Amino acid sequence: MTEAYVALEDGRVLEGRGRAPGTARGELVFTTAYTGYEESLTDPSYEEQVLTFSYPLIGNYGVREERFEDDRVHPRAALAKEFTEDVAEWLESEGVPAVDHLDTREVVTTIRDGGAMKCGIAVGEDVTEEDAKEQLEACKAMSDHTEIGEQVSVDEVEVYGEDNDGETVALVDCGAKGSIVDSLLARDAEVHVLPHDASVADVEAVDPDVLFISNGPGDPVNFEQTIHLVEEFVEDTPVAGICLGQQIVAEALGGTTEKMDFGHRGVNQPVLDLASGQVVMTTQNHGYTVAEPGEHLEVTQINVNDDTPEGIDGIEYDVITRQYHPEANPGPEDTLDFFDDVLAMADSRSEQAVPADD
C-alpha cells in the first residue's frame, strides 16, 4: 500500500491509503454532496483547498468530461473514505494527490468543531509524516492568497454566443463555473468573459446590458479591481453576482464580508425567500459571507440553518445577487430562474433607456 499522510493544523497526523502520489497543502474543507464529484473537483472555487468528500464512495458512476466545470482539477488534494479506480486515475493524471481509507466522519467533525484549517498532504512510496508536516508549515491562510484571482481567471476576453439575439453580458471571471456561461447562453445571451482584473475601458468596450460578477475562490477583499468595476458601473448598468460575486458586490456598495467557520459546501442547503416564504434547496461552495449588506442593498433570502444572507437586491440600484449556485450543477434545479430575473432586469433597463416616439 502506498503511504499517505495528512497533517492537520491541530497537531494530528492522519494515515490513509495513497491513491494518487504527490505533496500538497491547502485549506481543509468538506462537501456533503453525494453526487457531483466531477463538478466539485473542477470547480475553480476550490482553488488552494484540500477537498474532503463526506459521502463514503466517490466515483461510482465514472468520470465524464462533459460534466466538468473547468478544464482542470482545482483542489490541491482530495480525501475520501474510498475512491474508485476511475477517479484515482483521473486525479493522478492531473497531478493531484489523493488519499482514501480515511475516517472521513472524523475529518468532517474536526472541521465542523474547529473550523476550516490548514493541512499538509504527502503521498508516495517513500514519504513520511515529516513530509506532510513540512507541507503544513508552508501552508498559507486563504486570505493571504492575495493573487488567487490570477490562478483561476481567463487571461483575455472570450466571447460566446455572438449569434445570439438576447442581452449582452460582461461576465467578470473570478473563477467562473462553465455552467454559468451555459445558463446564460441557453437564454440567448451574448456572453463576454473578462479577466478578474479587467479595466473600466475593457467593460466599456463590451457595452454590456448587465455586469455579472462570477463565483471564485478566496477572500473577496483581495479582488480590488473587480470591486472597483462594480463601483464604476452600478449607477448606469445592472449588476448581478453569484457566490463570491455577491460578496464583491456587497464590498463595493458599502457592505462588509467575513470568513465563516467552515462554510457551506454541498447540494442540500435550504434557502428561505423572505418575501414569498418559499424554501428552495441549493448547491453551495463558499467559505466567506456577507456580514452587513450596507445601506444600498437589502437581504432578500437567508440560509435556513444559520440565517446568513443568500440573496441580496439593490435598493436604489438594479442589483441582484445570490450566494448559492443557481446554475445548479450538479443540482438541484430549484433556482434556475435567477438567470431569467437577471436578464429581465437588464431588458427592463434597456427599455427605459429607449426614448419615446414623438
Side-chain angles (χ1 to χ4, degrees), residues 6 53 55 59 65 72 96 101 105 129 136 168 191 202 206 233 247 274 276 295 306 330 339:
V6 182
F53 291 94
Y55 189 73
E65 189 173 345
R72 68 176 175 90
V96 176
H101 285 191
R105 295 169 300 180
E129 291 188 12
L136 173 61
T168 300
V191 183
D202 291 333
V206 175
F233 285 94
Q247 301 156 24
L274 296 176
S276 68
E295 62 180 351
D306 60 13
F339 294 97

Side-chain angles (χ1 to χ4, degrees), residues 2-157:
T2 302
E3 301 292 337
Y5 300 98
V6 182
L8 305 181
E9 194 174 1
D10 66 6
R12 288 180 295 158
V13 179
L14 308 180
E15 186 173 355
R17 177 177 67 165
R19 301 305 307 278
T23 57
R25 55 186 177 268
E27 181 182 58
L28 182 63
V29 298
F30 69 88
T31 177
T32 59
Y34 46 89
T35 60
Y37 49 86
E38 298 142 306
E39 292 90 340
S40 293
L41 287 166
T42 54
D43 183 346
S45 293
Y46 281 114
E47 188 79 5
E48 297 294 349
Q49 294 179 321
V50 172
L51 179 57
T52 304
F53 291 94
S54 66
Y55 189 73
L57 176 61
I58 299 302
N60 55 345
Y61 52 85
V63 176
R64 296 175 61 183
E65 189 173 345
E66 58 262 36
R67 290 194 282 254
F68 292 2
E69 288 292 340
D70 196 19
D71 59 5
R72 68 176 175 90
V73 172
H74 282 273
R76 288 294 182 245
L79 312 180
K81 177 66 175 177
E82 184 177 353
F83 286 118
T84 64
E85 287 297 326
D86 285 343
V87 173
E89 291 173 3
W90 174 36
L91 292 172
E92 183 171 1
S93 73
E94 291 273 332
V96 176
V99 183
D100 66 4
H101 285 191
L102 293 167
D103 184 351
T104 50
R105 295 169 300 180
E106 179 186 4
V107 176
V108 169
T109 55
T110 294
I111 298 169
R112 286 186 63 91
D113 292 342
M117 63 183 67
K118 301 174 185 176
C119 74
I121 310 288
V123 184
E125 295 293 340
D126 300 315
V127 301
T128 66
E129 291 188 12
E130 291 305 314
D131 295 316
K133 291 178 180 178
E134 288 178 5
Q135 290 295 315
L136 173 61
E137 287 296 319
C139 187
K140 297 196 297 186
M142 281 302 294
S143 292
D144 292 336
H145 289 283
T146 57
E147 304 300 326
I148 198 168
E150 295 181 7
Q151 299 171 212
V152 295
S153 180
V154 295
D155 295 324
E156 56 187 26
V157 179

